[in-house]
Amino acid sequence: MSIFFVYTALFSISIFTIVFLVAQLKKNNSIVDVFWGLSFVLTALFNLSLALYFDVFHWTMLVVVLLVGVWGLRLTFYIGKRNWGKEEDFRYQDMRKKWGTKFPRLQAYFKVFILQAVFHYVLATSIMMVHAFPRGSYDLVHYVFLGFGVLVFFTGFIFETVGDAQLKAFKKHPENKGKVMQSGLWKYTRHPNYFGESCLWWGIFIVVIAVSEPIAWIAIISPVVITWLVRYVSGVPLLEKRYASNKAFQAYAKRTSIFIPLPPKKQ
């Protein structure tokens, strides 16, 4: 049902526009980072309501809604707590400096909020597919795939959650200021949280193709795009660049995988 894609596009633009207005009142564009996870929870609930309205509801839709809810609410709470009372993130401050006085709010709207709405919409393809094209019948293979998808999701969720918790605990100690986190999951990958983010979206995709019609393979765009974003655009590269001049990080990087968890190299 293509109507799901039309309504979700309008919904995405609407919610990110509302967040833009709030950000302008607060003079802090990094509020969009806090909203990122919640935006998918709201989109999942919106699509579920559409499925109920159009009478195409199936219980398997709840699996995806619950997985997205677990991830999205955890991420929103984590980033919200981390950013509470702090100034605007350095990335958005740099953007403001580049924009200068040339319609900074208009640039923020299109280059930050609408851009994120577009990425959000693309990543939400998995969510839309499972609601728009529910499978009519199931056999053992479908349930095996569903279970495997849930397993992959929680593998990624554990990497993201535990990785964030370990880094937070490390930074709590003043004696670690300026040092590089190299233990726990960070011993096997320099970015366990970003790897987890990618992995859990692959898990959601596997669930989607298990419980939706064959056309749902189109949803592969969701994990592919999020993997590309965190690995090559907005995640890993920015942090790697930030610590490029740190000698301890350079030594750490030589023995530790940049993304996929692997045993550390022997020096």
Side-chain angles (χ1 to χ4, degrees), residues 60-80:
T60 51
M61 297 174 184
L62 293 176
V63 177
V64 172
V65 172
L66 289 173
L67 294 180
V68 171
V70 167
W71 164 76
L73 292 176
R74 200 289 306 186
L75 186 64
T76 294
F77 178 78
Y78 173 78
I79 296 179

Side-chain angles (χ1 to χ4, degrees), residues 35-158:
F35 181 71
W36 179 249
L38 182 60
S39 69
F40 289 93
V41 180
L42 295 176
T43 298
L45 293 174
F46 178 71
N47 275 263
L48 182 62
S49 67
L50 288 178
L52 291 169
Y53 179 79
F54 291 113
D55 198 25
V56 293
F57 171 79
H58 192 277
W59 68 268
T60 51
M61 297 174 184
L62 293 176
V63 177
V64 172
V65 172
L66 289 173
L67 294 180
V68 171
V70 167
W71 164 76
L73 292 176
R74 200 289 306 186
L75 186 64
T76 294
F77 178 78
Y78 173 78
I79 296 179
K81 187 177 180 181
R82 185 187 66 185
N83 293 358
W84 185 262
K86 294 184 179 179
E87 64 179 10
E88 187 177 50
D89 186 272
F90 75 94
R91 295 169 297 163
Y92 299 100
Q93 290 187 33
D94 289 344
M95 289 180 191
R96 288 181 184 277
K97 292 176 183 177
K98 290 179 181 178
W99 298 335
T101 58
K102 295 181 180 180
F103 306 104
R105 290 184 176 179
L106 191 62
Q107 291 202 63
Y109 180 62
F110 285 104
K111 294 182 179 180
V112 176
F113 295 86
I114 291 301
L115 181 61
Q116 291 225 22
V118 171
F119 280 123
H120 165 267
Y121 181 75
V122 172
L123 295 177
T125 303
S126 290
I127 298 171
M128 291 182 280
M129 279 292 176
V130 77
H131 290 91
F133 301 100
R135 187 178 291 277
S137 59
Y138 299 83
D139 56 28
L140 180 60
V141 174
H142 297 133
Y143 288 112
V144 169
F145 261 85
L146 190 155
F148 179 64
V150 172
L151 178 63
V152 173
F153 170 87
F154 278 106
T155 298
F157 184 74
I158 288 171

